[in-house]
């Protein structure tokens, strides 16, 4: 005999099960009973039965065998059975199942039932799970209900219509007229539904939006009524009259006012009124204010109103409620580009939010703070950001470090400040910085020659105190290898000098070499640095020889290879050692974009792990198709011209790379810096067509080296975008195109684009260059070529 | 609104309402993720979370967590009010509602929800009207058909 418990007893029995196993036992028994009951004839307990199954389903157990029962119950004339049947359908069925088709007919019938609560069940189910076919089938019925029924049904029909439009977009047109007339209703539920429906229609169809703009005055009137009206018990929430409806109307106004002066004007006064009069002591008032602010900022509002809106956000920032502070920041972030100065006024408060306990608030504050950094506030902002970095949650460290680097790069007031800032980040969060930080910093240090002494001192001290932060240690090793002689001199202008011996310096490097904390790449840096010191110290070269010799049998293949090569440098190539290990020249960046771009990161990953490379094996940056095009371009003329990869080499070819991977990596990675400016040279116009002018100037760099500067200008009345130059030269000539200053040429010569090309002509062939010019103007693409046969010499 | 979940502090699901069609397997996955995410939050945190392309608004009332997922363009502060309104409706109906009420009368919790929200939107903004409709529906059930057991404790 199978137990048959009423619903609540079953729930009690399940809850009192002490183990998962016991619970499963109860459920199995109950499900068996339920199944048996389903098979029996109508016995008056069907709704209890189905309800039990729904409970079991909510616990996570399978209940698909109840689907047909739902269908049967829905078709029942009894309200209690319909109610549970429809609930079951919504819980167990979805539009993908065949069973859901079977209820279409019941829904259709129930939509015109004489009892509104039965109609309501059908409407509810349709809006919840109506499939596209069901929607198409029943749309006319819904439209009918939208026009002729009581408020209770109308409000539900409106939301059904919303669901239908979401499922079958073209049915929107059907409901537009009814939606329009519903705006005249007084019932708030119906009004709310109408506003939601109109919003949906406008969002989907721009023509519909145009037509509904005429309703702006009506919407303004309704809002006014809500804002000014006295206390309405039916709709009051903490002194605000129907905040739900207010928010929806504000959202609709936003959509209607966007990009439209007339509509925005029509709602201006109302928005000002809502912004000023809404009580902001409770969340509900702030919800309305928040929506108002969003609307003001999105439409074409008067500047006074905009300022009002931003000030509301400013007040929100000071609110005790964390939620309010959070949404203030998300909103400010959205407008930091367009209303930068207005947001800057609240910078202090935003920076304070960096110290908030809540992780979400902290994240927003970080993003917003980074967006607010400028040349004028860089020093004070960086203090705050570095403070934040030292105590921020782990999940934000990478973002903070990256943001700090970007800000430092853009606004560094001095080189020393820049270097100090990067070092500070590496000390605090060295493990969370991106890979290219190391080569970027090395490049920065190399190019700041006046600070070499200062930098190597700082890094040496950092190395002595902590060798766990790999990026910092790598840079320190590299610096010591390069500038160790400055350490030994015992004098420094910018900072307290150290009094060290050669052994001290070698000790520091050897500690890194031997430490279990050092990553393989770091050890590579240390070994190479040790080797470099062999030309910078005088007494202890033998010590270096022995270190190098020992590592020649190191288990790490990378270190072994280096050591063997350095050994060879000592033994067989000692006459070259000084030249090979000499000071690095100023490195020039040559790939486009700022640091931390995607391409730079990929380039690093290709080159890591540290491998000694010939300086020439660099990644070509032009995609194959462009290469082919240039070949086509250069068709059958005299010498076959050959395009060179954009990344060229300026280092001499060496048997052993002087700075391990650092030198090679740097060339691959770096981008964005303008190369050192040339002294003015004679310019010649090489191209002038369609309003675009290209001038060329060149300057001899060496016996075989020439730097060419191309300058483009646009004298037409339309802006030019995607302006690019490609160049091809005779085969034996090496070509290296630097990053252009930009790719847009504004109209009427408002700005120029310059691009430098480094040429190396060791065979001294007749130098020619074919240039292909491509750009977009007024939506069309243009392309042209020009050949330059002679270069003005400086 | 995309979905509404109610779960206990132990992560037991008490109510689930989905406003868009989602496969059963996906629903289970979402429920697991929501409960994990929300239960991990510190006591006085902000009530808003980001999850995929949605905003998750959650609030704890006694032993129950209410978790509402809204679209990116919807108003978070209003979503808190929506949750609060639903709690008020339950409270009025059950009289000092507690988790047990919702466990033993889950179908009623759904019926009330279905009078307040529809198709992921607010259906009725007046508390009184929603309450009156529920009472009338209950009455309909009782007078027209057999008695469906009321809360027994």
């Amino acid at each position: 005999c199978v137990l048959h418990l009423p619903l609540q007893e079953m729930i009690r029995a399940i809850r009192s099960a002490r183990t998962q196993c016991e619970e499963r036992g109860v459920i199995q028994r109950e499900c068996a009973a339920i199944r048996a009951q389903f098979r029996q004839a109508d016995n008056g307990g069907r709704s209890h039965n189905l309800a039990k199954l729904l409970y079991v389903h909510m616990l996570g157990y399978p209940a698909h065998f109840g689907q047909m029962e739902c269908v049967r119950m829905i078709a029942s004339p009894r309200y209690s059975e319909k109610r549970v049947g429809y609930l079951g359908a919504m819980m167990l069925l979805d539009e993908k199942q065949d069973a859901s088709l079977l209820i279409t007919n019941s829904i259709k019938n129930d939509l015109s039932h004489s009892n509104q609560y039965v109609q309501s069940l059908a409407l509810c189910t349709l809006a919840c799970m109506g499939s596209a076919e069901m929607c198409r089938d029943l749309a006319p019925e819904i439209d009918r209900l939208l026009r002729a029924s009581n408020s209770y049904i109308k409000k539900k029909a409106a939301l059904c219509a919303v669901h239908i439009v979401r499922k079958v977009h073209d049915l929107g047109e059907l409901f537009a007229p009814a939606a329009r007339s519903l705006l005249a209703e007084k019932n708030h539920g119906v009004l709310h539904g109408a506003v939601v429906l109109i919003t949906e229609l406008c969002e989907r169809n721009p023509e519909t939006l145009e037509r509904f703009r005429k309703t702006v005055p009506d919407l303004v009137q309704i809002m006014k009524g809500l804002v000014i009206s006295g206390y309405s018990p039916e709709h009051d929430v903490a002194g605000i009259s129907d905040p739900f409806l207010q928010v929806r109307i504000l959202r609709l106004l936003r959509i209607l006012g966007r990009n439209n002066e007339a509509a925005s004007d029509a709602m201006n006064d109302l928005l000002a009124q809502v912004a000023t009069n809404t009580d902001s002591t409770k969340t509900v008032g702030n919800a309305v204010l928040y929506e108002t602010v969003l609307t003001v900022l999105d439409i074409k509002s008067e500047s006074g109103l905009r300022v009002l809106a931003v000030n509301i956000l400013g007040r929100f920032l000071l609110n005790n409620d964390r939620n309010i502070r959070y949404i203030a920041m998300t909103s400010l972030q959205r407008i930091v580009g367009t209303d930068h100065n207005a947001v800057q006024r609240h910078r202090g408060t935003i920076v304070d939010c960096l110290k908030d306990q809540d992780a979400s608030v902290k994240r927003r504050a970080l993003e917003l703070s980074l967006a607010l950094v400028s040349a004028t506030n860089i020093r004070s902002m960086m203090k705050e950001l570095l403070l934040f970095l030292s105590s921020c949650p782990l999940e934000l460290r990478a973002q903070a470090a990256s943001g700090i680097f970007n800000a430092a790069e853009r606004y560094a007031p001095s080189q020393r400040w820049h270097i100090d800032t990067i070092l500070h980040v590496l000390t605090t969060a060295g493990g969370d910085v991106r890979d290219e930080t190391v080569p970027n910093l090395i490049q920065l240090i190399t190019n700041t020659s006046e600070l070499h002494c200062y930098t190597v001192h700082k890094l040496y001290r950092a190395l002595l105190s902590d060798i766990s932060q790999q990026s910092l240690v790598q840079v320190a090793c590299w610096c010591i290898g390069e500038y160790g002689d400055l350490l030994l001199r015992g004098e420094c202008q910018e900072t307290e000098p150290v009094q060290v011996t050669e052994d001290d310096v070698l000790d520091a490097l050897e500690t890194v070499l031997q430490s279990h904390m050092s990553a393989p790449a770091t050890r590579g840096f240390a070994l190479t640095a040790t080797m470099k010191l062999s030309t910078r110290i005088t007494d202890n070269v033998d010590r270096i020889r022995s270190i190098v010799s020992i590592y020649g049998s190191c288990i790490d293949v990378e270190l072994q290879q280096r050591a063997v090569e350095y050994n060879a440098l000592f033994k067989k190539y000692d006459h070259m050692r000084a030249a090979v290990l000499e000071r690095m020249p100023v490195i020039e960046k040559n790939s486009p974009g700022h640091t931390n771009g995607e391409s730079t990161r990929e380039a690093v990953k290709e080159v890591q792990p540290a491998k000694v490379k010939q300086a020439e094996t660099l990644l070509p940056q032009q995609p194959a198709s462009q290469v082919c095009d240039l070949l086509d371009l250069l068709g059958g003329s005299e010498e076959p011209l050959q395009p060179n990869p954009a990344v060229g080499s300026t280092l001499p070819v060496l048997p052993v790379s002087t700075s391990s991977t650092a030198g090679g990596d740097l060339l691959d990675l770096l981008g964005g810096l303008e190369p050192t400016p040339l002294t003015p040279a004679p310019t010649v116009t090489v191209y002038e067509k369609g309003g675009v002018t290209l001038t060329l100037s060149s300057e001899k760099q060496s016996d075989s080296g020439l730097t060419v500067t191309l300058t483009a200008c646009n004298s037409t009345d339309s802006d030019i975008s995607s302006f690019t130059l490609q160049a091809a030269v005779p085969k034996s000539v090496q070509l290296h195109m630097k990053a252009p200053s930009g790719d847009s040429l504004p109209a009427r010569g408002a700005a120029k684009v310059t691009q430098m090309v480094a040429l190396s002509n060791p065979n001294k062939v007749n130098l020619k260059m074919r240039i292909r010019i491509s750009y977009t103007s007024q939506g069309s693409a243009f392309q042209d070529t020009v050949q330059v046969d002679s270069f003005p010499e400086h | 609104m995309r979905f509404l979940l109610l779960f206990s502090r132990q992560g037991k699901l008490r109510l689930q309402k989905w406003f868009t069609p989602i496969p059963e397997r996906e629903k289970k996955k979402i429920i697991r993720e929501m409960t994990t995410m929300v239960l991990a939050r510190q006591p006085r945190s902000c009530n808003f979370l980001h999850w995929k392309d949605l905003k998750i608004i959650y609030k704890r009332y006694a032993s129950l967590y209410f978790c509402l997922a809204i679209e990116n363009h919807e108003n978070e502060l209003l979503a808190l009010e929506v949750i609060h309104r639903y709690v008020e409706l339950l409270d009025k109906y059950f009289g000092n509602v507690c988790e047990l009420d919702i466990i033993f009368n889950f179908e009623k919790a759904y019926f009330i929800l279905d009078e307040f929200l529809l198709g992921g939107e607010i259906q009725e903004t007046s508390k009184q009207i929603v309450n009156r409709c529920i009472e009338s529906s209950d009455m309909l059930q009782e007078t027209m058909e057999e008695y469906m057991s009321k809360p027994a404790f």
Side-chain angles (χ1 to χ4, degrees), chain B residues 75-126:
Chain B
N75 186 322
E76 297 97 313
L77 296 179
L78 198 75
L80 277 174
E81 291 300 312
V82 168
I83 293 175
H84 192 73
R85 173 58 63 93
Y86 183 45
V87 173
E88 284 179 319
L89 292 168
L90 291 169
D91 195 60
K92 186 81 207 293
Y93 183 80
F94 289 109
N96 283 333
V97 68
C98 64
E99 190 184 344
L100 284 176
D101 290 318
I102 297 176
I103 294 170
F104 282 93
N105 300 278
F106 70 95
E107 77 282 8
K108 294 289 173 66
Y110 277 100
F111 296 152
I112 294 170
L113 187 61
D114 288 342
E115 283 296 332
F116 174 41
L117 304 177
L118 190 59
E121 304 286 346
I122 296 169
Q123 175 192 159
E124 178 55 65
T125 59
S126 155

Side-chain angles (χ1 to χ4, degrees), chain A residues 7-12 15 48 51-52 54-55 58 83-84 87 91, chain B residues 6 14-15 64 86 90 93-113 134 138 141 147-153:
Chain A
L7 171 62
Q8 292 181 346
E9 278 181 46
M10 180 197 81
I11 296 177
R12 239 175 255 128
R15 283 169 61 78
H48 294 277
K52 278 155 75 173
L54 295 180
Y55 183 81
M58 188 149 61
R83 214 180 184 193
V84 179
L87 178 64
M91 285 174 75
Chain B
L6 266 66
R14 298 302 178 205
L15 186 143
L64 267 183
Y86 183 45
L90 291 169
Y93 183 80
F94 289 109
N96 283 333
V97 68
C98 64
E99 190 184 344
L100 284 176
D101 290 318
I102 297 176
I103 294 170
F104 282 93
N105 300 278
F106 70 95
E107 77 282 8
K108 294 289 173 66
Y110 277 100
F111 296 152
I112 294 170
L113 187 61
I134 292 293
D138 283 351
Q141 212 166 269
Y147 188 70
M148 195 155 168
S149 12
K150 282 269 171 41
F153 41 90

Side-chain angles (χ1 to χ4, degrees), chain A residues 311-359:
Chain A
N311 286 347
I312 290 177
L313 291 179
R315 272 200 338 258
F316 277 1
L317 279 179
L318 300 165
N319 197 303
N320 282 329
D321 186 337
R322 196 163 265 144
N323 294 329
I324 311 264
R325 290 207 296 278
Y326 179 87
I327 55 120
M329 282 196 283
T330 52
S331 313
L332 285 169
Q333 205 166 344
R334 256 183 272 179
I335 57 164
V336 75
T338 48
D339 298 72
H340 192 89
N341 292 332
V343 180
Q344 279 283 7
R345 260 178 242 132
H346 303 284
R347 196 177 72 244
T349 325
I350 292 167
V351 166
D352 282 340
C353 288
L354 283 171
K355 305 186 187 97
D356 196 298
Q357 301 287 0
D358 186 280

Side-chain angles (χ1 to χ4, degrees), chain A residues 405-421:
Chain A
F405 283 151
N406 280 336
E409 169 129 4
R410 288 177 75 185
Y411 302 113
S414 75
Q415 304 269 46
R416 178 171 156 169
W417 181 96
H418 193 175
I419 291 175
D420 282 344
T421 304

Side-chain angles (χ1 to χ4, degrees), chain A residues 65-223:
Chain A
F65 60 88
Q67 287 173 3
M68 282 315 293
E69 184 68 5
C70 293
V71 176
R72 275 194 290 269
M73 299 269 274
I74 286 170
S76 158
R78 292 194 183 120
Y79 178 68
S80 59
E81 290 179 357
K82 268 194 203 289
R83 214 180 184 193
V84 179
Y86 273 118
L87 178 64
M90 286 190 277
M91 285 174 75
L92 302 181
L93 296 175
D94 62 46
E95 54 179 44
K96 292 189 183 53
Q97 271 132 19
D98 297 330
S100 67
L101 284 174
L102 300 172
I103 64 175
T104 312
N105 221 36
S106 293
I107 293 180
K108 196 184 238 166
N109 292 334
D110 286 339
L111 278 178
S112 25
H113 200 278
S114 53
N115 188 300
Q116 67 176 11
Y117 296 108
V118 174
Q119 282 180 297
S120 164
L121 292 175
L123 286 164
C124 184
T125 309
L126 180 60
C128 172
M129 53 171 284
S131 64
E133 305 91 80
M134 249 194 256
C135 287
R136 269 196 207 96
D137 205 1
L138 299 170
E141 185 60 24
I142 299 299
D143 187 52
R144 192 185 66 79
L145 290 172
L146 270 180
R147 298 165 190 281
S149 58
N150 61 29
S151 314
Y152 181 67
I153 296 300
K154 267 190 193 156
K155 76 187 183 197
K156 292 173 192 264
L159 294 179
C160 260
V162 171
H163 173 84
I164 291 174
V165 171
R166 284 177 184 163
K167 272 277 185 267
V168 186
H169 304 329
D170 12 297
L171 284 173
E173 273 314 293
L174 170 65
F175 297 119
R180 179 80 181 79
S181 38
L182 285 176
L183 276 184
E185 299 264 340
K186 293 285 170 258
N187 178 291
H188 281 219
V190 178
L191 216 41
H192 187 277
V195 172
V196 174
L197 179 56
I198 295 172
T199 307
E200 189 70 31
L201 297 176
C202 290
E203 276 176 336
R204 293 200 179 271
N205 190 326
E207 279 155 20
T208 315
L209 197 157
E210 278 295 328
R211 289 205 308 262
F212 272 103
R213 276 219 184 89
K214 301 193 204 85
T215 64
V216 168
D218 299 319
L219 293 166
V220 167
Q221 269 311 107
I222 298 170
M223 265 307 272

